[in-house]
Structures are given as C-alpha cells and as structure tokens.
Amino acid sequence: MRDVPLADTTLRVHDVGGGEPLLLLHGFPLDHRMWSGQEALAGRHRLLAPDQRGFGRSGGSAPSSVEQLADDAAAALTALAPGARAVVCGLSLGGYVAQHVAIRHPDLVAALVLVDTKLEADTPDARAARHDLAARVQHAGTRVLAEAMLPRLFAASAVARCSPQRGAAEALVRAMILGTPVATGTAALAALAARPDMTGAFATGTVPTLLVCGAEDVITPPERMAADAAVIPGARLAVVPRCGHMTPLEDPAAFNALLTEFVDGLPRRERRA
Ligand code: MLT
C-alpha cells in the first residue's frame, strides 16, 4: 500500500503491476480488496486501487460528497503516476466517482469502465430509504448495513450460488462491510443520496466508455444500464451471465477479458504534457 497525503487526510492506495495505469474505484461500503480478482491484470497494467477516504485502511475523515471522492482519486493518480492518463474503472459508488473524475479531471482519463452503476440521481423514495438506513446504522452499527445489503449484492440463481469462488467472495464482502466505520457508512449514505444526475453531462460524449453489468444485478439492473449506454455516444454495454452487483468479484475471468478487450481497442494513449 502507498500513502498519498491529501490536504485533510491520507489515502492508502494498493499499487501493483506495471504499464498504463488502471484506476480501480470500489463500491459502498467496501475497499480495494473487492478488486482482488483483478490482480491477474497486473501483468498488463499498473493497478491503482485506493481505499477511498473513510474506507478500509484509509480510515480517518469520512466522505462528504462523490465530487470530493473524485478529487481524492484524481489527486492519488496525479501523485502516483504523474503525467499519465488512466483507464478509470468504478463499481457502483466507485462508478459514480469515476463519472465525476471524467467530468472534473478530463486530462487524467483515457477511458471509463462503469460497472454495476448508473448515471441517474436517487429518486425521492431512494433518498428517503438511504437516510432511514443511515439512522439505523448510527443506532445499531454496520451490522445493519450487512443485513440490508448482502442479500442483494450477489446473483441469486442456483447456478451462480454454486460457483466455486462464491463462499470466499461473500465472506470477503461481509468482512469489508463490517469493517467500515459507522461515521463513514452514514456519511457515505448521505453523499450517495445527494449525488447529482449525470445523464446530461454524458449525453454529449466524453471519453470511450464501456459499461459492464451483472445479468442478475437487482440494484442497477441490465435494463437500467442499457438505458445509460444509449445515452453515452459510442458506449457499449456488456452483460455478464451469473453475476449480480459484484461482477468483478463474482466472475473475475469474464470481467478481466471484457476489460482487456476494451483497453486493447482504445486509440494509443498520449501522455499529458
Ligand atoms: C454500491 O455498491 O456502491 C452501492 O450499491 C451504491 C448505491 O447504493 O447506489
């Protein structure tokens, strides 16, 4: 892990491999370990996977907005790979953050991979549900988050439940959720509820974009992501069978193959001046 000091906290960033950087932004309420299935890509890429502020080993200051998390990610990339443009890949919360990195720091981004995420803001009902969940987490701890989220994160079909890596993946996700500080969980829920709609920002096209969705994702289902793919000029959606909301962890081989095929098709990257 590398330390990246920011103005008000220090980010810890998992940094392995070599080559063009691939910035991996985790979902809520997880940390860089959700990308453990992507270590196989370290032969082709330098993998930079921060524990976003408040999460994992970064600890400390809780997040206040997805825009702040995007600025943190940009600062980490600039500090660790000066002059580089990265493929920025984010899952769910990490996908919201990746969208803001692309809009706020376009010089840093060669391409985007949006995984099990969406462009839309929360509906009023979803926002109210997040505030209710935050109140329950404040009262009873992150056990409440595990109970609320775990049943919805993984594919539910019998064939998916029988996959050999399923037990270890669920145990890892449970450990990450239970390890999240209460202050981070409640602050991140407020940040998720307040995030803006990004549909307009992406409608005119920004960077080459791949969307990836688990066929059994019930949080950001394939129909939702297909509608988003239709909004972003030139974007492509890949739907991965037998996966839920945790596609890179549920089927690392399929996910890594999609990512590799996408990156190989990108125009040659110029370094920033
Ligand atoms: C996540 O996986 O990061 C969350 O499901 C994000 C969300 O609830 O919108």
Side-chain angles (χ1 to χ4, degrees):
M1 297 290 278
R2 301 274 298 272
D3 282 355
V4 176
L6 304 177
D8 57 346
T9 191
T10 297
L11 282 193
R12 308 219 60 207
V13 182
H14 181 64
D15 178 1
V16 288
E20 298 290 348
L22 174 60
L23 181 65
L24 296 168
L25 299 170
H26 63 76
F28 170 81
L30 308 174
D31 61 48
H32 78 278
R33 289 174 292 167
M34 65 142 282
W35 300 110
S36 53
Q38 281 58 63
E39 296 283 310
L41 296 171
R44 304 175 47 105
H45 287 284
R46 181 168 173 202
L47 307 181
L48 297 172
D51 284 348
Q52 301 187 72
R53 73 164 63 206
F55 295 93
R57 294 208 222 156
S58 288
S61 154
S64 60
S65 66
V66 289
E67 291 89 338
Q68 176 198 49
L69 294 178
D71 291 348
D72 289 352
L77 184 60
T78 306
L80 295 175
R85 288 181 206 273
V87 173
V88 180
C89 170
L91 178 135
S92 203
L93 163 66
Y96 309 146
V97 175
Q99 292 162 34
H100 285 276
V101 175
I103 298 297
R104 294 165 77 84
H105 306 279
D107 289 356
L108 301 182
V109 181
L112 267 185
V113 183
L114 301 177
V115 189
D116 298 303
T117 191
K118 59 178 184 259
L119 299 176
E120 292 68 29
D122 278 0
T123 62
D125 283 354
R127 218 167 269 150
R130 288 206 203 268
H131 290 305
D132 174 63
L133 182 58
R136 290 189 288 126
V137 171
Q138 184 66 48
H139 179 70
T142 40
R143 165 181 75 70
V144 174
L145 274 182
E147 281 162 12
M149 295 190 69
L150 271 171
R152 308 185 72 224
L153 290 178
F154 288 87
S157 63
V159 62
R161 288 205 312 270
C162 289
S163 99
Q165 61 264 52
R166 175 63 175 254
E170 280 192 44
L172 174 62
V173 168
R174 178 185 294 276
M176 288 189 278
I177 296 177
L178 293 177
T180 301
V182 166
T184 297
T186 54
L189 282 164
L192 284 163
R195 75 183 195 285
D197 190 290
M198 297 297 279
T199 313
F202 278 87
T204 51
T206 50
V207 288
T209 303
L210 171 69
L211 294 92
V212 181
C213 187
E216 301 181 39
D217 185 344
V218 294
I219 298 175
T220 46
E223 314 81 68
R224 171 73 271 144
M225 292 199 74
D228 285 352
V231 164
I232 307 172
R236 180 170 86 83
L237 170 66
V239 177
V240 184
R242 296 177 296 282
C243 290
H245 192 62
M246 298 298 307
T247 305
L249 196 56
E250 291 178 271
D251 193 342
F255 180 81
N256 294 349
L258 282 168
L259 197 140
T260 299
E261 182 196 18
F262 172 65
V263 171
D264 285 351
L266 291 173
R268 207 176 155 274
R269 272 186 252 179
E270 304 296 334
R271 289 182 70 79
R272 290 183 295 119

